[in-house]
Amino acid sequence: MAADFLSRLARLGIRREQDLLLHLPLRYEDETRLVPIASLLPGQSAQVEGVISRSEVVGRGRRSLQVELRDDSGAIGLRFLNFYGSQVAQLARGRRVRASGEVRGGLLGLEMVHPRYRLVEEGAPLPTRLTPVYPSAAGIGQASLRRAVLQALRIHHWAETVPSACLEALHLPAPMAALRFLHEPPAAADLGALEDRSAPAWRRIVFDELLAQQLSLRRARAARADRRAEPLRDAGLVGRLLAALPFRLTGAQARAWREVAADLSAVQPMNRLVQGDVGSGKTVIAALAAAQAIGSGCQAALMAPTEILAEQHFRKLGPWMAAIGARIAWLSGSLKESRKREVRERVAAGEVDLLVGTHALIEDSVVFPRLGLAIVDEQHRFGVAQRLALRGKGEALPHQLMMSATPIPRTLAMTYYADLDVSVIDELPPGRRPVLTRLVSDARRDELIERVRAAAAAGRQVYWVCPLIEEAAEDESVATRGTAAGDEAGKAREAAAAASGNGRRRAASALKQREALELQTAIDTHALLQEALAPIPVGLVHGRLAAAEKQAVMDGFSRGELQVLVATTVIEVGVDVPNASLMVVEHAERFGLAQLHQLRGRVGRGTADSVCVLMYRGPLSPTARARLKTMHETSDGFEIARRDLELRGPGEFLGARQSGVALLRFADLERDADLAAAARECAARMLEGDQATVDAHLDRWLGGREEFLKA
Ligand code: ADP
Ligand code: MG
């Protein structure tokens, strides 16, 4: 294959010729049959053949090429809005054309707009196979993709890797048979079963994919069992910290802590995720783990995804660390270079026991002589590579503790996190009040402002949240899950566009523009509220503020000097101001579910009854409507995560967006739950058998990307 073509294929994630085998069609076109024109119905997709009876370029300005195609039964219009001069010549009166596309009812009878077409001789044979339509990218045509795939199918032969005992019960075809079927289905194939992926050939591919994932996760787990970490066993500081806390652990916290403590004292590195809904009290688990590490003579690091959150941790943990005589320090990108150097030097000299910060922690210049524990808060917000980097900071492998308020549905956790132990904090600290959620159209903004005034007058504190960049981020995530579930052509096109470098650049600059725009929204909203609510003090906090300014505003709000805080989503995670009991979210329709849940978790932390107002601007898309409805109906983080998964597919939960690796391309864990279970069993069996077969299977599916699955 030409090197130049292969390099273009890299945009589609195809790096080796054999990767083409798994570049499977998004859908198919049936060009094996011709439909008599007179029998066409609007809405139908069909292929027709006839002779051009009329052809003209019509309209001024935006011209279109209008062709009439006639067969023995009748005539249909073909319309081209963008066309080349050569097409006008090609589609001249008297030419015989085969055209396929969707039939529409036009002004002057039925028509096809931009049909695919081909000039043919009378009696030219029809294809005997369905025509695959592949995910593609700029500069890669369908025809050349098809040729390349067929060539790869001739050259590469994938032998069976799966023991027949695993396959029999499932009635699945052999891998090559499945691949040939999917790339070139016979005319008689059941198009519906191909489309919804219930065809045995599809199920075989999905099974193989799930199997590859299980094999690699189990291998990673076995490898971890062979690694050594410093066992952290001294619980002296833990006891002191527990005594110094202003509260008692909830039952769920105590359980999670026991699990973490047991892992820490082992010689294998811990790899544990603590999941707990917003406000369930995960931070104290991190503090206890740090105390155990420090008590055992090691250093600990805590990394959080935003500066505000990291800073909050630092402030919360400060007094706790002081109470046990541990030295805590703070590192973030926004510190002055000289200050950063000083912190790094103290860390390197072993004079810091717990370092808290943002991504700055994983820069090469940060060196821990005795890193025993790496804590990652809101782990799903980090890319896989970043998590791996933090873990790689010590001389030996540190224990790793991750925390997340975005619960991972069980089906996902079992499949993706075979190498991760999970503790769940499924209980909120006592005294929490449920938050009442109301949906309000933004036509009622004035009414709402009055409510805010009344709340503030009554001594309550209010968040007013303006949206930031979520929409663009969601568009991008399409790229990583474009081939996962429920594809239609539109998604495929988006995926293709985003997969190309151009698409990414465009997305990045669109992101910048949107960021600027929304920053402006926050600034405008602040001005408006300040005027409308005077003399009630209104603060403003957003991502572009310098760290010190941000902190000053947050402090003012924490101390109650500012009663209303206008904020972008910088407050999304972790911010803890118990007296705040009213939240207004502007343009709630633009936020993702997980984000709305996180935001809402900022209220309902004190003793007052709390209200979260989701203000939206219609018309709402069906997904936005479903999101808002979910928020209104439930406050259970797990239920929200489950519905979110339904709405968005799994990529988002797993940080796939950041890592750029689509973890599952074909499988859908809800739809393919039976295959996932079978794959788990089969993986266990295969790992007891011939390892070369396991290697061969993994090579087909992962080809060197295994590292990403381990994080
Ligand atoms: P999250 O799980 O969202 O990170 P935090 O750790 O920030 O939650 O805890 C939320 C709030 O609850 C904090 O103010 C924390 O001090 C408090 N808290 C945590 N555990 C308890 C407890 N067992 N009893 C009372 N308050 C608690
Ligand atoms: Mg937290």
Side-chain angles (χ1 to χ4, degrees):
M1 193 174 305
D4 163 51
F5 186 61
L6 252 181
S7 76
R8 258 178 284 158
L9 288 182
R11 288 179 214 155
L12 298 171
I14 299 168
R15 292 174 306 168
R16 311 169 300 178
E17 194 181 47
Q18 63 165 314
D19 293 342
L20 280 162
L21 269 55
L22 290 175
H23 192 66
L24 292 169
L26 290 169
R27 59 191 173 85
Y28 300 89
E29 268 145 22
D30 186 355
E31 294 174 342
T32 65
R33 279 177 303 171
L34 294 174
V35 178
I37 290 174
S39 69
L40 292 174
L41 295 171
Q44 180 185 7
S45 280
Q47 177 175 243
V48 297
E49 182 178 318
V51 174
I52 294 176
S53 47
R54 203 147 47 83
S55 174
E56 57 183 340
V57 173
V58 298
R60 265 167 295 144
R62 252 203 99 161
R63 300 177 317 152
S64 68
L65 171 59
Q66 191 83 50
V67 172
E68 184 185 71
L69 190 70
R70 186 171 283 284
D71 70 3
D72 296 341
S73 71
I76 183 171
L78 309 181
R79 189 147 57 96
F80 300 87
L81 300 171
N82 302 304
F83 56 92
Y84 301 107
S86 60
Q87 279 179 300
V88 180
Q90 219 178 25
L91 293 170
R93 193 185 144 93
R95 292 294 177 81
R96 174 171 287 273
V97 168
R98 226 170 245 175
S100 52
E102 192 181 323
V103 180
R104 297 202 203 163
L107 276 180
L108 311 163
L110 296 183
E111 64 171 0
M112 288 181 183
V113 180
H114 283 275
R116 290 176 307 284
Y117 71 89
R118 213 149 57 86
L119 300 180
V120 290
E121 300 291 327
E122 185 160 11
L126 287 161
T128 56
R129 308 233 162 219
L130 299 181
T131 310
V133 179
Y134 290 106
S136 188
I140 309 175
Q142 286 293 330
S144 41
L145 255 177
R146 257 175 243 153
R147 262 197 310 279
V149 168
L150 291 182
Q151 186 186 332
L153 274 171
R154 275 194 300 275
I155 296 172
H156 297 273
H157 185 87
W158 285 355
E160 182 60 82
T161 46
V162 178
S164 51
C166 300
L167 289 177
E168 266 158 22
L170 296 166
H171 303 289
L172 296 177
M176 286 318 282
L179 288 170
R180 289 211 183 86
F181 186 89
L182 293 177
H183 285 295
E184 289 189 287
D190 177 351
L191 206 53
L194 280 171
E195 240 119 77
D196 71 12
R197 304 197 170 175
S198 62
W202 263 124
R203 286 179 44 87
R204 171 66 208 239
I205 298 304
V206 165
F207 177 79
D208 280 9
E209 175 171 56
L210 291 165
L211 179 63
Q213 187 192 41
Q214 287 302 313
L215 288 170
S216 104
L217 289 169
R218 278 167 187 266
R219 272 201 174 164
R221 190 181 194 96
R224 181 158 61 93
D226 285 342
R227 299 236 202 90
R228 288 293 166 264
E230 177 89 30
L232 307 173
R233 290 178 178 152
D234 191 320
L237 291 185
V238 172
R240 279 169 60 187
L241 178 53
L242 283 171
L245 288 177
F247 49 74
R248 289 181 46 140
L249 296 187
T250 62
Q253 282 172 319
R255 183 160 25 84
W257 167 240
R258 272 199 302 279
E259 289 165 355
V260 171
D263 284 359
L264 288 174
S265 64
V267 294
Q268 288 89 28
M270 169 168 80
N271 196 29
R272 184 170 288 276
L273 173 69
V274 173
Q275 279 191 18
D277 212 342
V278 177
S280 62
K282 297 179 290 291
T283 316
V284 67
I285 305 298
L288 291 166
Q292 182 133 325
I294 297 163
S296 310
C298 282
Q299 293 171 298
L302 191 165
M303 178 164 77
T306 68
E307 186 131 325
I308 286 205
L309 181 51
E311 179 111 26
Q312 283 242 341
H313 278 312
F314 179 63
R315 299 161 146 268
K316 182 134 230 165
L317 294 170
W320 291 348
M321 290 299 119
I324 60 172
R327 297 158 299 180
I328 184 171
W330 157 255
L331 185 64
S332 94
S334 65
L335 288 180
K336 272 216 239 31
E337 196 48 50
S338 58
R339 179 84 187 112
K340 272 192 264 192
R341 194 170 336 111
E342 188 193 319
V343 173
R344 285 196 297 259
E345 280 166 11
R346 283 173 49 217
V347 172
E351 292 162 16
V352 170
D353 300 312
L354 172 60
L355 182 63
V356 177
T358 55
H359 304 73
L361 258 58
I362 53 177
E363 279 166 22
D364 288 340
S365 49
V366 184
V367 178
F368 296 84
R370 277 183 67 74
L371 185 64
L373 171 67
I375 306 168
V376 182
D377 193 19
E378 304 299 340
Q379 54 97 23
H380 62 287
R381 306 273 303 247
F382 287 101
V384 175
Q386 291 168 324
R387 277 183 265 150
L388 288 173
L390 181 60
R391 207 162 60 177
K393 276 287 162 193
E395 298 275 285
L397 210 54
H399 294 280
Q400 180 165 251
L401 175 65
M402 291 171 284
M403 299 188 285
S404 174
T406 304
I408 297 156
R410 223 179 87 80
T411 44
L412 274 188
M414 281 197 332
T415 315
Y416 281 97
Y417 289 135
D419 185 36
L420 190 69
D421 299 303
V422 179
S423 298
V424 178
I425 305 183
D426 52 5
E427 180 186 352
L428 294 181
R432 293 287 164 79
R433 312 285 283 271
V435 178
L436 182 69
T437 300
R438 300 187 49 210
L439 308 180
V440 172
S441 153
D442 75 348
R444 290 167 58 193
R445 175 182 301 260
D446 291 344
E447 230 174 283
L448 206 57
I449 292 177
E450 272 320 300
R451 252 191 99 116
V452 167
R453 173 199 296 288
R460 296 163 64 183
Q461 286 183 279
V462 184
Y463 292 107
W464 191 293
V465 183
C466 301
L468 197 72
I469 60 174
E470 177 69 5
E471 232 179 347
E474 274 195 353
D475 291 346
E476 256 213 323
S477 72
V478 170
T480 56
R481 58 167 213 270
T483 54
D487 289 298
E488 24 354 280
K491 262 195 197 164
R493 271 195 303 277
E494 280 174 68
S500 76
N502 268 339
R504 252 197 309 278
R505 268 193 300 283
R506 263 201 308 278
S509 87
L511 212 80
K512 276 223 183 74
Q513 276 175 12
R514 173 166 276 137
E515 224 173 327
L517 206 95
E518 284 166 352
L519 177 57
Q520 196 52 50
T521 313
I523 292 170
D524 293 347
T525 307
H526 176 244
L528 182 111
L529 286 178
Q530 220 169 12
E531 200 187 310
L533 295 175
I536 295 167
V538 180
L540 170 64
V541 63
H542 55 75
R544 293 282 176 80
L545 288 182
E549 292 175 86
K550 232 186 283 184
Q551 199 48 56
V553 178
M554 291 308 295
D555 280 351
F557 191 64
S558 296
R559 287 197 298 262
E561 289 154 14
L562 292 169
Q563 273 195 286
V564 179
L565 182 65
V566 175
T568 56
T569 44
V570 292
I571 65 150
E572 176 190 338
V573 284
V575 174
D576 189 26
V577 179
N579 190 46
S581 61
L582 174 59
M583 169 173 284
V584 178
V585 181
E586 280 219 42
H587 280 298
E589 77 279 0
R590 294 194 194 165
F591 290 87
L593 255 185
Q595 223 181 357
L596 286 173
H597 181 59
Q598 286 275 354
L599 281 170
R600 185 170 57 184
R602 301 309 113 213
V603 290
R605 297 183 159 233
T607 45
D609 283 331
S610 292
V611 178
C612 175
V613 179
L614 301 178
M615 186 160 56
Y616 62 86
R617 175 175 299 173
L620 293 175
S621 73
T623 333
R625 185 181 302 278
R627 283 198 297 254
L628 294 179
K629 186 162 169 280
T630 297
M631 288 302 293
H632 180 66
E633 286 172 359
T634 178
S635 58
D636 174 347
F638 279 86
E639 176 60 16
I640 288 174
R642 197 187 61 71
R643 298 207 202 169
D644 203 16
L645 178 68
E646 264 172 30
L647 290 172
R648 290 198 297 184
E652 192 75 11
F653 285 92
L654 304 157
R657 185 166 81 203
Q658 295 103 316
S659 74
V661 179
L663 292 172
L664 283 178
R665 295 154 65 189
F666 306 118
D668 171 332
L669 292 170
E670 299 279 326
R671 182 193 63 200
D672 304 317
D674 65 324
L675 294 177
R680 273 197 296 278
E681 244 169 70
C682 184
R685 186 193 285 249
M686 281 176 73
L687 284 168
E688 283 164 12
D690 175 24
Q691 295 306 296
T693 315
V694 174
D695 291 340
H697 192 88
L698 285 176
D699 181 55
R700 288 171 196 173
W701 280 93
L702 299 172
R705 286 182 291 189
E706 291 88 341
E707 188 60 20
F708 283 104
L709 287 171
K710 291 182 199 161

